Amino acid sequence: PENLECRVNLGAALGKLGRAEQALVVLKAGRSGGRPGPPELLNALAVAYAVDNGAHVLSNSWGGSGTSQLLEDAFRYVHTGGADGLRGGVSIVAAGNDNSDAAGYTPANIPEVVTVAAIDRQDAKASFSNYGFGVDVAAPGVNVLSSMPDSAVLASPSRKVSDGYYRLNGTSMACPHVSGVAALIIGQHPEYEPLQVQWVLQNTARALPGTSPQRFAPGFGCVDAGASIAYSGTPPKLDAHLAPVEIRT
């Protein structure tokens, strides 16, 4: 797809690895029959369920304003290895779409996640994308070819490409790009801990020209799949000083 052509250097990565040999699991954080429920609790339980059932990369294209101790505990639970404490997961989250500081949005403002902003084809911050020092990397988020049911609320005829496919904008479109690259990294280096995966994502990112520190975290840029896979060093094992937490389901 044209939105991936050069933006995340996907071709270089796929040429070397073929594809990420990872299973994809989709979780719906809601009550049966579409009945309303407390979204914060449901999202926290879904996150905990994912890591307890073997998820190594969690892609989160959802969120809202404010802070949440419950969600912070849930993502720390993922980070520190879930119920068995043996291996943590990497949580990738969308920064949000209000052209505001991501520090005011959760789960984007949780320390244990990788927060993703959106850029356009000119490598500029997308007009809607949240920003700030809490942003870890950026990825394409404008006019991205996306699968979506034709009955969905966002299924605008003006954005339809074919049945079930639309071109959409949002950090929700940028987030999965980074999740895919994280899966490629783990597929090649299953021994990496979550912070090591994040370190590779950030330190192999392609610099964005003219980016001010107020827009993205200094020193990082657009995720680069090819450079991430080509990295042959040993990422530092950073000490997050986190104690495991218990999430009771």
Side-chain angles (χ1 to χ4, degrees):
E2 62 176 330
N3 58 284
L4 290 179
E5 183 178 357
C6 297
R7 295 292 162 254
V8 295
N9 197 12
L10 188 63
L14 294 185
K16 185 172 183 179
L17 288 184
R19 66 181 185 276
E21 297 293 342
Q22 306 289 335
L24 176 66
V25 177
V26 179
L27 296 177
K28 177 182 178 181
R31 299 175 67 183
S32 61
R35 293 177 295 155
E40 183 182 50
L41 175 60
L42 295 173
N43 287 332
L45 291 174
V47 166
Y49 177 89
V51 73
D52 281 345
N53 286 273
H56 300 314
V57 179
L58 282 68
S59 186
N60 301 271
S61 289
W62 55 271
S65 60
T67 60
S68 168
Q69 186 61 53
L70 179 60
L71 290 178
E72 187 168 337
D73 287 346
F75 281 103
R76 181 184 296 179
Y77 181 78
V78 172
H79 191 86
T80 56
D84 59 20
L86 296 178
R87 171 174 178 157
V90 181
S91 300
I92 317 294
V93 308
N97 302 318
D98 291 329
N99 190 30
S100 299
D101 193 328
Y105 294 76
T106 189
N109 55 12
I110 294 175
E112 290 76 41
V113 307
V114 178
T115 299
V116 183
I119 57 174
D120 61 21
R121 289 184 62 82
Q122 285 70 49
D123 280 349
K125 185 189 84 70
S127 61
F128 53 80
S129 179
N130 286 355
Y131 53 84
F133 286 98
V135 169
D136 296 299
V137 291
V142 177
N143 205 31
V144 176
L145 184 64
S146 308
S147 60
M148 183 170 60
D150 294 328
S151 58
V153 175
L154 296 177
S156 169
S158 64
R159 293 195 166 275
K160 186 172 184 178
V161 176
S162 61
D163 289 348
Y165 290 92
Y166 296 78
R167 290 200 174 276
L168 302 177
N169 301 328
T171 56
S172 288
M173 280 66 247
C175 177
H177 287 92
V178 181
S179 300
V181 176
L184 287 171
I185 294 171
I186 292 174
Q188 188 173 13
H189 295 283
E191 74 279 7
Y192 280 4
E193 297 176 0
L195 282 175
Q196 291 180 295
V197 176
Q198 179 175 345
W199 189 93
V200 174
L201 286 170
Q202 292 177 310
N203 287 275
T204 59
R206 178 172 52 82
L208 297 173
T211 298
S212 69
Q214 289 73 33
R215 292 304 184 188
F216 298 107
F220 308 122
C222 179
V223 66
D224 188 321
S228 293
I229 299 307
Y231 176 78
S232 58
T234 301
K237 287 191 174 184
L238 305 175
D239 184 0
H241 301 290
L242 295 175
V245 297
E246 180 180 6
I247 300 291
R248 296 186 178 179
T249 58

